[in-house]
């Protein structure tokens, strides 16, 4: 209804304007002299100047208002190592172009006003001026050279791929989501082949490649702060684009042609939230969840920036930038989800036969693969650490200060071993770490009470599990 | 000039009915063609063909702009009830059975965006702009009776018409028109599994544009031949008005770049129909691995596309630049400043426009180190562009400016070209483009520098040469209203988009709600949509003015109402086919002898140089 009324108004307005226009034309036809023309010139040229002033003021005011969204200003400061280069280049360009913008817009409308046709005023005959034209060719050329040099320095620094990254992950775009693969302990992504995609092997990983064994397709994206990340970017079906606005990262994902982007996140999600909390714009209630402030729900986001079909606008993934420790703890949990383990290795023979799954490492007994061994060791070290933590709680309850200090020291030592067990891809190292862990543990708890406690908890867990099995 | 003599003989007596009083209609020039069909449809008179291009272009402009209003509604008022559009859009509006609210289907949103881009870029700003004014002005301003080949000229229009027809029909396809963006990047544009629009819609889209390429080539060959061979006596290259330089160079660029686009389209066609894999590699889609379709490169298409695509933007803007140069000079009563510099900057832009194409591809996975070259050339192209801007401003300086609609739109053009050109300097620097590529910053850039500026050039041309076309003037009151509404409106629409782009908001998003980072601009998006609707209204006002003035506009009484120097105003008001009744005028001086002598405000090109007088412009 409103739309219909709006339509009607537009039509009526048009008719009205046409009538006015007709009347004015008749009037001018009657009094056709130059004075009339000069009046018009004055009015229009004046409007030009008014427009110019308002326009330039609007540019300044809107800029101040939106300054927080301008690259490198306020909260929109890049959260990656190379980002500030992009931001500063943007701002240099902004400075240069603004000067030209204000000067030329002003000159255009101001000259038009000054040199409007009016009584007794005649145009001059000024056809060219070689020196002047040289000046306004050379000055832009010099400025452009300056921008090009700066820009190319930045570009080549950002895009260089020297292989010195800390972690390589892989992002695969498809209609309409992303799959993110982590390389696992060997820090190497296994090969894949699009012909092998199918069933649960959503990326087409090639299981004969041992590098695939520990690769994980993660459901969240965690990245450690301060580490150089190389993202290998691919697509399954059509073009997509791996776009991380806050990190100044953008690269197309092309089927059959892996691309890359290398960046180092410098601000963790938590510190970004803290940074945002200082800004009044972010202290308002969140749109989705009004029990929270906007800054509290802030997350880095991965978006698609290349038209890929009707769901192009919806390819969102959250990215968490965390400390190295948090990252390792998170990775530790992911290991259990290794694609190979869950969809090939750990299937029963029956399931394998049904799904026509072939395990190229079937001849290796279960538990004997390097990866399996490493995970087993890590699990045992984790258990050791857990027992220590439990012991600490007991000691604290008992207010046994000496014991608390002792256990705390042991925990620190144990964490160092856990860290090795979590990340090493070397069996020797892992074994050493476990031996060390055992040594630490045994020093602290010789037949300690807590172990019995644990046993009790464990034994209650078993019957529960078995009932569950029976019900099934 | 053998052909001229034949034509002259032909045209004797053709003007017997010059005093018919049928001013409302076009001329009745052709002796052998009297029926409506010959005069208005299959006419070979360049002036009639120009009008055909213009009016067809206007038709498409209205459709293209209306489409943008629909998708702007989606962006400005997400979730608003669109069921009222159902009578028009049918199944493209999804009605929620529970609440009865209608929403725009996502697929159709993308179809609208794609059609909008294609229509405006090709049908309106290429055919409607260059087609109209090259046709109208080339013969008239160089002193020729018609184009070198009127037949090819007519065919050029009819291929354009056909191309439009195919596109129009594709709007009604069951699976919808093509929806893969005006750039039609494969694999999306090649795989029917990937999108509904890539089914029959994509086939028709490509067919339509191949026909369009034929039209451009037929026209272009003609423009080039005509300018090079059919200039009247005395019309040396450096006596050509800048309009003609612009049209000539535009046609050359088109001739060199459109075939490359066509070859890209042919490969897409082969991929789509014969199972080749020029642009496909290792694709897994719809639960199937396309194992036979390997070895191609999606990037290759982009090279082919942008090898046209970038020159294409200059194909669009150069004619507008030519028109604006001419209108500015005429209405500032002053020679265009630095005529030669203007010519050389057109040539420089044309040359450079062929070696910057990959600035559209910095982030596509092309080897990043190749980008270095393209950054350099891209920023170099800003230099001749800057020279042009300074020269336009210098043309206004010291003038005695007449503020009519044509002049206002020319000034508006310069303002827009400055605003949009400067943002190009950001994007041309690959490092900044990392962040700004495919965001609203790019949308703002090219709409201002190309979209709005080229429209302004076109409007300036229409207001200025309307008397030449119809023997009447357009209404000035409506014209000025149209100008101010469009000037303010366009800046309100595209200005704020710079901030969206800086905030990182990607273009071609159906909704911004999915992302925290992009969803905080509701008010701005609403503002933009409202501004777009208002601006659209002002364009309708122009269309009303246009048709009203054809029939009821103030009559042109003097042959040279703007006191211009160029040849088109030496032909009679309702010139017939052949343009001049008697002999073709000869040229004796450059086209910008404006305010040269105290006692003479302007000297037409036809006036011989006086004893000892030197030709201007040196
Ligand atoms: C100062 C001169 C200019 C420079 C340096 C420049 C630079 C650029 C760059 C680098 C892009 C790619 C942005 C991206 O996709 O990330 C771009 C896009 C574009 N430019 Fe310009 N530009 C200039 C002038 C123009 C002119 C005069 C026109 C047209 C008349 C134009 C039309 C376009 C169009 C249509 C696009 C976007 C195409 C698309 O992706 O859909 N530009 N420009
Ligand atoms: Cu995508
Ligand atoms: Cu996408
Ligand atoms: Cu370009």
């Amino acid at each position: 209804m409103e739309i219909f009324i709006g339509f009607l108004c537009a039509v009526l307005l048009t008719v009205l304007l046409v009538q006015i226009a007709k009347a004015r034309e008749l009037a001018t036809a009657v009094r056709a002299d130059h004075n009339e023309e000069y009046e018009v010139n004055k009015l229009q040229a004046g409007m030009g100047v008014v427009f110019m002033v308002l326009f330039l003021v609007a540019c300044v005011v809107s800029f101040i208002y939106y300054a927080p969204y301008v690259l490198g200003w306020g909260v929109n400061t890049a959260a990656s190592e190379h980002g500030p280069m992009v931001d500063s280049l943007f701002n240099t360009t902004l400075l240069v172009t603004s000067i030209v913008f204000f000067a030329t817009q002003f000159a255009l409308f101001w000259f038009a006003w000054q040199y409007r046709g009016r009584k007794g005023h005649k145009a001059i005959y000024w056809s060219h001026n070689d020196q002047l034209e040289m000046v306004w060719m050379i000055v832009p050329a010099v400025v452009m050279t300056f921008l090009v040099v700066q820009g190319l320095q930045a570009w080549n620094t950002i895009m260089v791929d020297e292989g010195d990254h800390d972690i390589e992950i892989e992002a695969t775009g498809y209609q309409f989501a992303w799959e993110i693969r982590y390389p696992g302990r060997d820090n190497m992504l296994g090969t894949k082949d699009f012909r092998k995609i199918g069933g649960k092997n959503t990326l087409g990983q090639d299981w004969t490649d041992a590098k695939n064994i520990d690769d994980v397709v993660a459901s969240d994206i965690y990245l450690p702060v301060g580490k150089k990340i190389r993202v290998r970017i691919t697509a399954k079906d059509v073009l997509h684009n791996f776009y991380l606005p806050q990190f100044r990262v953008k690269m197309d994902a092309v089927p059959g042609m892996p691309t890359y982007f290398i960046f180092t996140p410098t601000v963790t999600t938590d510190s970004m939230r803290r940074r945002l909390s200082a800004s009044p714009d972010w202290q308002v209630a969140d749109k989705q969840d009004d029990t929270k402030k906007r800054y509290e729900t802030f997350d880095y986001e991965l978006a698609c920036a290349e038209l890929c079909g009707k769901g192009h606008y919806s390819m969102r993934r959250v990215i968490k930038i965390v400390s190295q420790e948090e990252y390792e703890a998170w990775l530790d949990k992911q290991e259990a989800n290794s694609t190979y383990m869950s969809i090939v290795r750990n299937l029963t023979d029956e399931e394998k036969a049904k799904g026509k799954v072939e395990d190229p490492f079937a001849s290796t007994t279960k538990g004997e693969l390097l990866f399996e061994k490493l995970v087993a060791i890590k699990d045992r070290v984790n258990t050791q650490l857990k027992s220590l933590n439990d012991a600490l709680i007991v000691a604290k309850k008992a207010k046994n200060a000496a014991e608390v200090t002792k256990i705390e020291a042991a925990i620190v030592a144990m964490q160092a071993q856990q860290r090795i067990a979590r990340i090493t891809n070397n069996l020797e190292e892992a074994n050493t770490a476990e031996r060390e862990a055992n040594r630490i543990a045994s020093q602290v708890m010789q037949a300690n009470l807590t172990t019995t406690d644990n046993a009790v908890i464990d034994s209650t867990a078993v019957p529960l599990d078995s009932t569950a099995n029976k019900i099934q | 000039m053998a052909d001229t003599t034949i034509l002259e003989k032909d045209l004797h007596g053709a003007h017997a009915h010059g005093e018919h009083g049928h001013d409302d209609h076009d001329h009745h020039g052709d002796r052998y063609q009297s029926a409506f069909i010959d005069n208005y449809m299959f006419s070979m008179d360049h002036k009639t063909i120009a009008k055909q291009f213009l009016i067809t272009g206007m038709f498409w402009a209205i459709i293209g702009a209306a489409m943008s209003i629909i998708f702007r509604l989606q962006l400005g008022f997400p979730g608003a009830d669109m069921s009222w559009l159902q009578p028009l859009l049918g199944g493209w509006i999804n009605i929620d059975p529970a609440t009865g609210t209608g929403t725009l289907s996502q697929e159709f949103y993308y179809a609208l965006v794609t059609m909008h881009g294609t229509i405006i870029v090709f049908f309106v700003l290429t055919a409607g702009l260059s087609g109209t004014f090259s046709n109208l002005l080339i013969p008239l301003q160089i002193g020729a009776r018609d184009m070198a080949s009127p037949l090819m000229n007519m065919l050029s229009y009819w291929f354009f018409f056909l191309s439009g027809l195919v596109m129009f029909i594709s709007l009604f396809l069951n699976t919808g028109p093509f929806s893969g963006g005006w750039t039609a990047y494969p694999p999306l544009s090649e795989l029917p599994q990937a999108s509904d629009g890539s089914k029959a819609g994509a086939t028709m889209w490509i067919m339509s544009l191949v026909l369009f390429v034929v039209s451009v080539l037929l026209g272009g060959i003609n423009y080039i031949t005509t300018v090079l061979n059919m200039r009247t006596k005395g019309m040396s290259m450096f006596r050509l008005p800048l309009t003609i330089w612009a049209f000539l160079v535009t046609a050359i660029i088109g001739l060199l770049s459109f075939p490359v686009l066509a070859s890209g389209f042919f490969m897409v066609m082969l991929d789509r129909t014969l199972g080749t894999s020029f642009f496909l590699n290792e694709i897994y889609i719809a639960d199937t691995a396309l194992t036979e379709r390997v070895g191609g490169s999606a990037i290759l298409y982009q090279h082919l596309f942008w090898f046209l695509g970038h020159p294409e933007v200059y194909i669009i803007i150069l004619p507008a630049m030519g028109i604006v140069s001419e209108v500015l000079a005429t209405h500032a009563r002053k020679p265009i400043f630095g005529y030669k510099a203007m010519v050389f900057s057109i040539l420089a832009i044309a040359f450079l426009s062929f070696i910057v194409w990959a600035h559209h591809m910095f982030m596509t996975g092309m080897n990043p180190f190749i980008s270095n070259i393209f950054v350099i050339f891209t920023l170099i192209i800003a230099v001749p562009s800057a020279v042009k801007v300074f020269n336009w401003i210098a043309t206004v300086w010291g003038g005695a400016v007449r503020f009519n609609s044509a002049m206002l739109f020319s000034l508006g053009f310069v303002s827009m070209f400055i605003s949009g050109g400067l943002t190009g300097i950001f994007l041309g620097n690959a490092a900044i483009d990392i962040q700004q590529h495919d965001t609203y910053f790019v949308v703002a850039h090219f709409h201002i520098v190309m979209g709005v500026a080229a429209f302004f050039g076109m409007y300036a041309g229409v207001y200025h040469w309307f008397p030449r076309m119809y023997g009447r003037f357009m209404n000035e009151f409506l014209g000025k209203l149209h100008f101010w509404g469009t000037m303010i409106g366009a800046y309100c629409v595209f200005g704020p988009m710079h901030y969206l782009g800086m905030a990182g908001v990607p273009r071609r998003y159906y909704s911004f709600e999915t992302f925290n980072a992009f969803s905080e601009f509701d008010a701005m998006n609403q503002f933009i949509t409202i501004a777009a609707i208002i601006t659209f209204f002002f364009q309708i006002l122009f269309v009303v003015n246009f048709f009203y003035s054809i029939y009821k506009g103030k009559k042109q009484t003097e042959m040279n109402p703007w006191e211009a120097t160029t040849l088109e105003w030496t032909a009679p008001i309702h010139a017939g086919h052949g343009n001049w009744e008697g002999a073709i005028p000869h040229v004796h001086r450059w086209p910008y002898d404006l305010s040269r002598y105290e006692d003479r405000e302007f000297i037409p090109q036809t006036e011989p140089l006086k004893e000892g007088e030197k030709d201007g412009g040196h």
Side-chain angles (χ1 to χ4, degrees), chain B residues 337-354:
Chain B
F337 185 79
Y339 172 82
K340 285 238 167 101
M342 291 303 243
V343 172
F344 286 120
S345 60
I346 290 178
L347 293 172
I349 287 175
F351 173 71
L352 289 169
S353 77
F354 280 99

PDB file of all heavy atoms in Angstrom, chain B residues 337-354:
ATOM      1  N   PHE B 337      41.509  23.694 -23.465  1.00  0.00           N
ATOM      2  CA  PHE B 337      42.886  24.004 -23.101  1.00  0.00           C
ATOM      3  C   PHE B 337      43.796  22.841 -23.471  1.00  0.00           C
ATOM      4  O   PHE B 337      43.532  21.698 -23.122  1.00  0.00           O
ATOM      5  CB  PHE B 337      42.980  24.308 -21.610  1.00  0.00           C
ATOM      6  CG  PHE B 337      44.365  24.745 -21.208  1.00  0.00           C
ATOM      7  CD1 PHE B 337      44.798  26.036 -21.435  1.00  0.00           C
ATOM      8  CD2 PHE B 337      45.238  23.852 -20.619  1.00  0.00           C
ATOM      9  CE1 PHE B 337      46.073  26.445 -21.096  1.00  0.00           C
ATOM     10  CE2 PHE B 337      46.524  24.243 -20.269  1.00  0.00           C
ATOM     11  CZ  PHE B 337      46.945  25.550 -20.511  1.00  0.00           C
ATOM     12  N   GLY B 338      44.856  23.136 -24.191  1.00  0.00           N
ATOM     13  CA  GLY B 338      45.843  22.113 -24.524  1.00  0.00           C
ATOM     14  C   GLY B 338      45.285  21.033 -25.434  1.00  0.00           C
ATOM     15  O   GLY B 338      45.330  19.855 -25.121  1.00  0.00           O
ATOM     16  N   TYR B 339      44.775  21.476 -26.590  1.00  0.00           N
ATOM     17  CA  TYR B 339      44.176  20.530 -27.537  1.00  0.00           C
ATOM     18  C   TYR B 339      45.108  19.350 -27.821  1.00  0.00           C
ATOM     19  O   TYR B 339      44.727  18.189 -27.733  1.00  0.00           O
ATOM     20  CB  TYR B 339      43.837  21.283 -28.817  1.00  0.00           C
ATOM     21  CG  TYR B 339      43.383  20.412 -29.960  1.00  0.00           C
ATOM     22  CD1 TYR B 339      42.061  19.989 -30.029  1.00  0.00           C
ATOM     23  CD2 TYR B 339      44.266  20.016 -30.970  1.00  0.00           C
ATOM     24  CE1 TYR B 339      41.645  19.184 -31.089  1.00  0.00           C
ATOM     25  CE2 TYR B 339      43.854  19.215 -32.016  1.00  0.00           C
ATOM     26  CZ  TYR B 339      42.547  18.802 -32.074  1.00  0.00           C
ATOM     27  OH  TYR B 339      42.132  18.015 -33.098  1.00  0.00           O
ATOM     28  N   LYS B 340      46.364  19.670 -28.134  1.00  0.00           N
ATOM     29  CA  LYS B 340      47.293  18.593 -28.508  1.00  0.00           C
ATOM     30  C   LYS B 340      47.536  17.663 -27.332  1.00  0.00           C
ATOM     31  O   LYS B 340      47.573  16.436 -27.479  1.00  0.00           O
ATOM     32  CB  LYS B 340      48.621  19.194 -28.974  1.00  0.00           C
ATOM     33  CG  LYS B 340      48.521  19.801 -30.367  1.00  0.00           C
ATOM     34  CD  LYS B 340      49.516  19.162 -31.328  1.00  0.00           C
ATOM     35  CE  LYS B 340      49.214  19.519 -32.765  1.00  0.00           C
ATOM     36  NZ  LYS B 340      50.059  20.566 -33.302  1.00  0.00           N
ATOM     37  N   ALA B 341      47.692  18.255 -26.162  1.00  0.00           N
ATOM     38  CA  ALA B 341      47.890  17.427 -24.965  1.00  0.00           C
ATOM     39  C   ALA B 341      46.691  16.508 -24.764  1.00  0.00           C
ATOM     40  O   ALA B 341      46.835  15.352 -24.363  1.00  0.00           O
ATOM     41  CB  ALA B 341      48.092  18.305 -23.739  1.00  0.00           C
ATOM     42  N   MET B 342      45.499  17.038 -25.073  1.00  0.00           N
ATOM     43  CA  MET B 342      44.299  16.210 -24.936  1.00  0.00           C
ATOM     44  C   MET B 342      44.353  15.041 -25.909  1.00  0.00           C
ATOM     45  O   MET B 342      44.033  13.908 -25.561  1.00  0.00           O
ATOM     46  CB  MET B 342      43.038  17.043 -25.197  1.00  0.00           C
ATOM     47  CG  MET B 342      42.748  18.066 -24.139  1.00  0.00           C
ATOM     48  SD  MET B 342      42.581  17.343 -22.508  1.00  0.00           S
ATOM     49  CE  MET B 342      40.902  17.720 -22.106  1.00  0.00           C
ATOM     50  N   VAL B 343      44.747  15.330 -27.143  1.00  0.00           N
ATOM     51  CA  VAL B 343      44.825  14.259 -28.136  1.00  0.00           C
ATOM     52  C   VAL B 343      45.848  13.215 -27.696  1.00  0.00           C
ATOM     53  O   VAL B 343      45.571  12.013 -27.682  1.00  0.00           O
ATOM     54  CB  VAL B 343      45.217  14.820 -29.517  1.00  0.00           C
ATOM     55  CG1 VAL B 343      45.497  13.682 -30.487  1.00  0.00           C
ATOM     56  CG2 VAL B 343      44.112  15.717 -30.045  1.00  0.00           C
ATOM     57  N   PHE B 344      47.027  13.694 -27.281  1.00  0.00           N
ATOM     58  CA  PHE B 344      48.063  12.729 -26.913  1.00  0.00           C
ATOM     59  C   PHE B 344      47.688  11.969 -25.643  1.00  0.00           C
ATOM     60  O   PHE B 344      48.025  10.794 -25.508  1.00  0.00           O
ATOM     61  CB  PHE B 344      49.421  13.427 -26.777  1.00  0.00           C
ATOM     62  CG  PHE B 344      49.992  13.796 -28.117  1.00  0.00           C
ATOM     63  CD1 PHE B 344      50.282  15.115 -28.451  1.00  0.00           C
ATOM     64  CD2 PHE B 344      50.205  12.804 -29.082  1.00  0.00           C
ATOM     65  CE1 PHE B 344      50.779  15.456 -29.704  1.00  0.00           C
ATOM     66  CE2 PHE B 344      50.708  13.134 -30.338  1.00  0.00           C
ATOM     67  CZ  PHE B 344      50.992  14.453 -30.648  1.00  0.00           C
ATOM     68  N   SER B 345      46.960  12.611 -24.755  1.00  0.00           N
ATOM     69  CA  SER B 345      46.571  11.841 -23.569  1.00  0.00           C
ATOM     70  C   SER B 345      45.522  10.783 -23.918  1.00  0.00           C
ATOM     71  O   SER B 345      45.525   9.698 -23.353  1.00  0.00           O
ATOM     72  CB  SER B 345      46.121  12.743 -22.422  1.00  0.00           C
ATOM     73  OG  SER B 345      45.023  13.510 -22.811  1.00  0.00           O
ATOM     74  N   ILE B 346      44.665  11.088 -24.886  1.00  0.00           N
ATOM     75  CA  ILE B 346      43.733  10.048 -25.343  1.00  0.00           C
ATOM     76  C   ILE B 346      44.534   8.866 -25.906  1.00  0.00           C
ATOM     77  O   ILE B 346      44.278   7.708 -25.580  1.00  0.00           O
ATOM     78  CB  ILE B 346      42.767  10.582 -26.424  1.00  0.00           C
ATOM     79  CG1 ILE B 346      41.768  11.561 -25.814  1.00  0.00           C
ATOM     80  CG2 ILE B 346      42.008   9.436 -27.092  1.00  0.00           C
ATOM     81  CD1 ILE B 346      40.822  12.175 -26.823  1.00  0.00           C
ATOM     82  N   LEU B 347      45.531   9.203 -26.735  1.00  0.00           N
ATOM     83  CA  LEU B 347      46.324   8.132 -27.343  1.00  0.00           C
ATOM     84  C   LEU B 347      47.106   7.365 -26.275  1.00  0.00           C
ATOM     85  O   LEU B 347      47.186   6.129 -26.310  1.00  0.00           O
ATOM     86  CB  LEU B 347      47.277   8.713 -28.382  1.00  0.00           C
ATOM     87  CG  LEU B 347      46.592   9.306 -29.621  1.00  0.00           C
ATOM     88  CD1 LEU B 347      47.601  10.034 -30.503  1.00  0.00           C
ATOM     89  CD2 LEU B 347      45.884   8.206 -30.416  1.00  0.00           C
ATOM     90  N   ALA B 348      47.650   8.079 -25.312  1.00  0.00           N
ATOM     91  CA  ALA B 348      48.415   7.417 -24.260  1.00  0.00           C
ATOM     92  C   ALA B 348      47.514   6.507 -23.433  1.00  0.00           C
ATOM     93  O   ALA B 348      47.858   5.356 -23.138  1.00  0.00           O
ATOM     94  CB  ALA B 348      49.068   8.463 -23.356  1.00  0.00           C
ATOM     95  N   ILE B 349      46.346   7.021 -23.087  1.00  0.00           N
ATOM     96  CA  ILE B 349      45.408   6.210 -22.312  1.00  0.00           C
ATOM     97  C   ILE B 349      45.053   4.952 -23.093  1.00  0.00           C
ATOM     98  O   ILE B 349      45.017   3.850 -22.560  1.00  0.00           O
ATOM     99  CB  ILE B 349      44.135   7.015 -21.966  1.00  0.00           C
ATOM    100  CG1 ILE B 349      44.450   8.058 -20.896  1.00  0.00           C
ATOM    101  CG2 ILE B 349      43.021   6.108 -21.504  1.00  0.00           C
ATOM    102  CD1 ILE B 349      43.303   8.975 -20.576  1.00  0.00           C
ATOM    103  N   ALA B 350      44.808   5.148 -24.402  1.00  0.00           N
ATOM    104  CA  ALA B 350      44.418   4.006 -25.217  1.00  0.00           C
ATOM    105  C   ALA B 350      45.513   2.950 -25.237  1.00  0.00           C
ATOM    106  O   ALA B 350      45.262   1.762 -25.059  1.00  0.00           O
ATOM    107  CB  ALA B 350      44.115   4.463 -26.638  1.00  0.00           C
ATOM    108  N   PHE B 351      46.749   3.420 -25.412  1.00  0.00           N
ATOM    109  CA  PHE B 351      47.852   2.475 -25.463  1.00  0.00           C
ATOM    110  C   PHE B 351      48.013   1.773 -24.110  1.00  0.00           C
ATOM    111  O   PHE B 351      48.047   0.543 -24.034  1.00  0.00           O
ATOM    112  CB  PHE B 351      49.145   3.205 -25.853  1.00  0.00           C
ATOM    113  CG  PHE B 351      50.355   2.330 -25.765  1.00  0.00           C
ATOM    114  CD1 PHE B 351      50.557   1.312 -26.683  1.00  0.00           C
ATOM    115  CD2 PHE B 351      51.271   2.496 -24.730  1.00  0.00           C
ATOM    116  CE1 PHE B 351      51.658   0.485 -26.585  1.00  0.00           C
ATOM    117  CE2 PHE B 351      52.381   1.668 -24.624  1.00  0.00           C
ATOM    118  CZ  PHE B 351      52.576   0.662 -25.556  1.00  0.00           C
ATOM    119  N   LEU B 352      48.060   2.570 -23.062  1.00  0.00           N
ATOM    120  CA  LEU B 352      48.279   1.984 -21.740  1.00  0.00           C
ATOM    121  C   LEU B 352      47.132   1.063 -21.328  1.00  0.00           C
ATOM    122  O   LEU B 352      47.324   0.110 -20.583  1.00  0.00           O
ATOM    123  CB  LEU B 352      48.451   3.097 -20.698  1.00  0.00           C
ATOM    124  CG  LEU B 352      49.759   3.884 -20.794  1.00  0.00           C
ATOM    125  CD1 LEU B 352      49.712   5.106 -19.907  1.00  0.00           C
ATOM    126  CD2 LEU B 352      50.931   2.989 -20.407  1.00  0.00           C
ATOM    127  N   SER B 353      45.937   1.359 -21.824  1.00  0.00           N
ATOM    128  CA  SER B 353      44.799   0.565 -21.383  1.00  0.00           C
ATOM    129  C   SER B 353      44.947  -0.906 -21.795  1.00  0.00           C
ATOM    130  O   SER B 353      44.270  -1.765 -21.256  1.00  0.00           O
ATOM    131  CB  SER B 353      43.489   1.145 -21.917  1.00  0.00           C
ATOM    132  OG  SER B 353      43.323   0.817 -23.271  1.00  0.00           O
ATOM    133  N   PHE B 354      45.864  -1.161 -22.719  1.00  0.00           N
ATOM    134  CA  PHE B 354      46.076  -2.565 -23.111  1.00  0.00           C
ATOM    135  C   PHE B 354      47.092  -3.292 -22.247  1.00  0.00           C
ATOM    136  O   PHE B 354      47.267  -4.495 -22.386  1.00  0.00           O
ATOM    137  CB  PHE B 354      46.525  -2.636 -24.572  1.00  0.00           C
ATOM    138  CG  PHE B 354      45.377  -2.518 -25.524  1.00  0.00           C
ATOM    139  CD1 PHE B 354      45.083  -1.327 -26.135  1.00  0.00           C
ATOM    140  CD2 PHE B 354      44.561  -3.619 -25.770  1.00  0.00           C
ATOM    141  CE1 PHE B 354      44.005  -1.220 -26.998  1.00  0.00           C
ATOM    142  CE2 PHE B 354      43.483  -3.520 -26.628  1.00  0.00           C
ATOM    143  CZ  PHE B 354      43.196  -2.316 -27.238  1.00  0.00           C
TER     144      PHE B 354
END
